[in-house]
Amino acid sequence: MPLTTPRLAAAALRRLRGARPAEPAPGPGRPERPAGPPSTAPAGSLRLDGGFTDRFPGFLDTSQTSSYPWRLNLRHEAIFTMNRQLFDGARVLDIASHDGRWSMAALDAGAAHVTGIEARPELVAHAGENLARYGVAADRFSFEAGDVFAFLAREGHEYDVVLCLGFLYHTLRHTELLGRARDTGARHLVVDTEVHRHPETIVRLATEPVEREGNAVPDGYAPGDTVITGRPTLSALELLGRSTGFELTRLADWDGLLRDNPDATQISDYRIGRRLTATFERR
């Protein structure tokens, strides 16, 4: 896909600044917006007929977090298909690697090796089992259970691509995270994150309970069973990247994915612009 264009940037900003009415997240008593009619998008569009979960269905069963076929398939398109040239022969670090779903996707896209760091040991176990199930050679991946920041602080890490997928909004330590990613020597950083829809360069603070699988984990700073988190606006995300040596070069074409897959479900956060996929290049 092309680099960020004025059309895509303007569309993203319109969503992030609230040009569309707010839509509550799916949940009990709050169903997602009804799906549209089947797509009639022309050949060469972003219409999906099958996807990541059709080839790797095991990932639908090894996580309690957002394991919905449409959601995983469209996220795969935005993160990997639109960035495929980054992964050929690359050494990849998968931050908060969960059950290994996106480590598998990176290897499938051509990565030479993936290292995953994940705080929850049961998810690390699932990750290793999943990749072995799909025949990935053991010397092409490694997963470690532990704290992301402690892992990144250790010397000797060298990667070509760092994946930060579904993690940035579970912490307030943004500059530390991106700065440590830069220290790995990575040329590219791919971020998929929730954002705060506001035109100013700000980060919205919140507290998050740690018991849920898809939430933050204790960080040693906030007492009790909650962690302080921050959701940056798009302009804040750009500033965070720039201040740590990364330039925002691409926003995934979620407008096109949503347009050409109107029957997709469980993606309301992308639909209303509360979440995006961004690619950064080391300056």
Side-chain angles (χ1 to χ4, degrees):
M1 298 299 296
L3 299 182
T4 304
T5 65
R7 178 184 65 82
L8 291 181
L13 285 170
R14 283 198 302 274
R15 292 201 310 273
L16 297 171
R17 291 173 179 174
R20 299 184 182 187
E23 177 180 298
R30 296 184 300 176
E32 187 174 351
R33 179 186 300 174
S39 176
T40 57
S45 72
L46 298 177
R47 173 64 183 177
L48 296 190
D49 293 307
F52 178 75
T53 60
D54 296 271
R55 292 184 294 124
F56 305 107
F59 291 102
L60 296 173
D61 301 321
T62 54
S63 169
Q64 303 171 25
T65 306
S66 299
S67 295
Y68 307 113
W70 265 119
R71 183 176 181 83
L72 292 182
N73 288 344
L74 289 181
R75 290 187 70 201
H76 177 269
E77 290 298 299
I79 297 166
F80 294 95
T81 302
M82 295 183 183
N83 286 303
R84 193 172 189 92
Q85 75 283 359
L86 306 185
F87 294 99
D88 188 23
R91 300 163 299 171
V92 176
L93 173 63
D94 186 2
I95 291 174
S97 50
H98 206 70
D99 63 350
R101 56 184 64 168
W102 301 136
S103 295
M104 182 72 240
L107 291 167
D108 184 57
H113 187 275
V114 174
T115 300
I117 174 68
E118 165 59 48
R120 291 180 166 84
E122 66 276 13
L123 289 174
V124 172
H126 287 320
E129 293 165 359
N130 280 329
L131 269 63
R133 174 191 309 172
Y134 289 113
V136 180
D139 61 357
R140 295 188 65 202
F141 66 88
S142 63
F143 294 104
E144 180 174 325
D147 177 75
V148 166
F149 294 97
F151 176 88
L152 287 170
R154 300 201 311 248
E155 295 183 359
H157 294 302
E158 293 185 3
Y159 304 101
D160 303 302
V161 179
V162 173
L163 301 175
C164 183
L165 311 176
F167 180 74
L168 189 72
Y169 57 95
H170 290 309
T171 184
L172 191 57
R173 300 162 68 180
H174 300 143
T175 54
E176 179 184 359
L177 179 66
L178 300 189
R180 294 292 188 186
R182 176 204 62 216
D183 291 344
T184 70
R187 182 168 177 79
H188 294 98
L189 169 69
V190 183
V191 177
D192 185 271
T193 185
E194 288 187 8
V195 289
H196 179 43
R197 294 177 297 165
H198 195 281
E200 295 185 14
T201 306
I202 59 176
V203 176
R204 183 179 184 181
L205 303 185
T207 57
E208 188 169 286
V210 300
E211 67 272 9
R212 181 175 173 270
E213 181 190 85
N215 281 8
V217 296
D219 64 3
Y221 293 96
D225 58 357
T226 61
V227 169
I228 298 175
T229 63
R231 286 160 174 76
T233 59
L234 176 59
S235 58
L237 183 62
E238 288 187 274
L239 177 60
L240 287 166
R242 194 162 54 249
S243 67
T244 53
F246 290 103
E247 194 71 31
L248 176 62
T249 56
R250 176 185 292 121
L251 292 174
D253 187 5
W254 272 100
D255 279 351
L257 284 171
L258 295 168
R259 177 198 66 222
D260 293 346
N261 298 278
D263 42 340
T265 59
Q266 299 295 340
I267 50 168
S268 62
D269 45 356
Y270 293 98
R271 194 182 300 280
I272 65 173
R274 196 174 62 223
R275 189 163 177 141
L276 55 75
T277 308
T279 302
F280 293 81
E281 185 172 352
R282 185 186 180 93
R283 292 192 299 173

